[in-house]
Amino acid sequence: MLIYHLNLLFRYLRYPKTTLLGFENHCKREWVEKMMQLDAKDRSLAVSVLNSNISAATSLSSISLVLSSLLGAWIGGSAENIYTSTIIYGDIRPATISIKYITLLACFLAAFACFVQTTRCYVHANFLISMPNCVMPEEFVKKAVIAGSNYWSLGMRALYFATTLLMWIFGPIPMFVSAVIMVVALHHMDTSRIPLRPFEGHRDRNELVKIGQELSDVHRAIERHVRPNVDQNHVKN
């Protein structure tokens, strides 16, 4: 798992086009650019999208904190594990089992911290994108949104590690099988073959109809102005 994520980090930094995280960040940058072209009063959709991400991050941070609390209470309240003699295969010394629990607890706490930072970044982006009567630089909003996305990914990776470490409680063989399955699944999900390209804007149909009506009105106004002059010339002649 660690080797795979180091390889993923290298690919993301050097070849972002080949990773799903790079593709998602590219889409978020384009989304920010298109939303910043609207007036601040018309960005309610952007605020709604950011609020949805904030709600998701808040829910996952709460789940991570609850799991951390339950695991911490379990570690502190159980001096002996009733499963050590029947289920766990491998080293069952109390020190080893404590290391397993503490490592698992650290992953849940790391996930909690990352999701809290995700919420902070999206709240900051929400303030920036809804600020009226000013020219807000796009880079400020992009930086906040991309930072929130990166923290979200780190929180999810911490939960993935926690899943593998959870199987470590039952022995090295379940942990190895879980790690292999997790790496295969993550490699399939993290690989992107979609080319990165800018999203071209298009005019809405209603906007085109409105432009056509305005052109028709201008044409009628020109005809009304020209016809009296033509009639007067005919009368003089």
Side-chain angles (χ1 to χ4, degrees), residues 222-237:
I222 293 175
E223 287 183 347
R224 295 194 191 108
H225 180 71
V226 171
R227 281 180 181 177
N229 295 333
V230 172
D231 295 338
Q232 290 178 2
N233 292 333
H234 283 298
V235 171
K236 291 180 180 179
N237 292 332

Side-chain angles (χ1 to χ4, degrees), residues 26 65 104 201 222:
H26 170 73
L65 184 60
L104 183 60
I222 293 175

